[in-house]
Amino acid sequence: MASELDQFSTLFASERELQHTLLQLLSKLDGVTGVRLLQGPTERGKDIVFYHQNPFGARRLIACVVKNTAITGSVGSSGGARTVLLQCQQAFDSPYTNASGQEERVEHVY
């Protein structure tokens, strides 16, 4: 019997399809604004970015690293844990240029 995670992972034909589904879901959450899909050379570890307002009114920039495969221990794989870790570090290290052209730092990565 397949686990819920295994069943979930088969719902999306590609990583791109998963990203677009997450974009739609995030856009519907309370307190979430500015949801954007980033692709290409400006991505710098961030597949999706959005703002989340906490209960005290502070707005935080959040980034998501999206994988549509199991995260493995393989060093050379795009789904390897080391690759995912490096993308998360890159998301923190590389500023995000917002719609106003200002650079901002990511505060949290999923």
Side-chain angles (χ1 to χ4, degrees), residues 5-59:
L5 179 59
D6 291 332
Q7 291 175 14
F8 179 81
S9 67
T10 63
L11 295 175
F12 306 97
S14 68
E15 193 168 284
R16 185 101 168 142
E17 184 180 333
L18 173 58
Q19 290 171 342
H20 283 282
T21 301
L22 289 172
L23 218 67
Q24 292 171 353
L25 289 172
L26 287 167
S27 297
K28 294 176 182 185
L29 292 175
D30 288 336
V32 172
T33 58
V35 182
R36 287 188 58 199
L37 178 65
L38 303 178
Q39 297 293 302
T42 61
E43 177 184 318
R44 295 184 232 153
K46 301 173 270 301
D47 291 312
I48 296 173
V49 293
F50 63 92
Y51 295 97
H52 179 260
Q53 187 170 349
N54 70 22
F56 301 105
R59 193 171 95 147

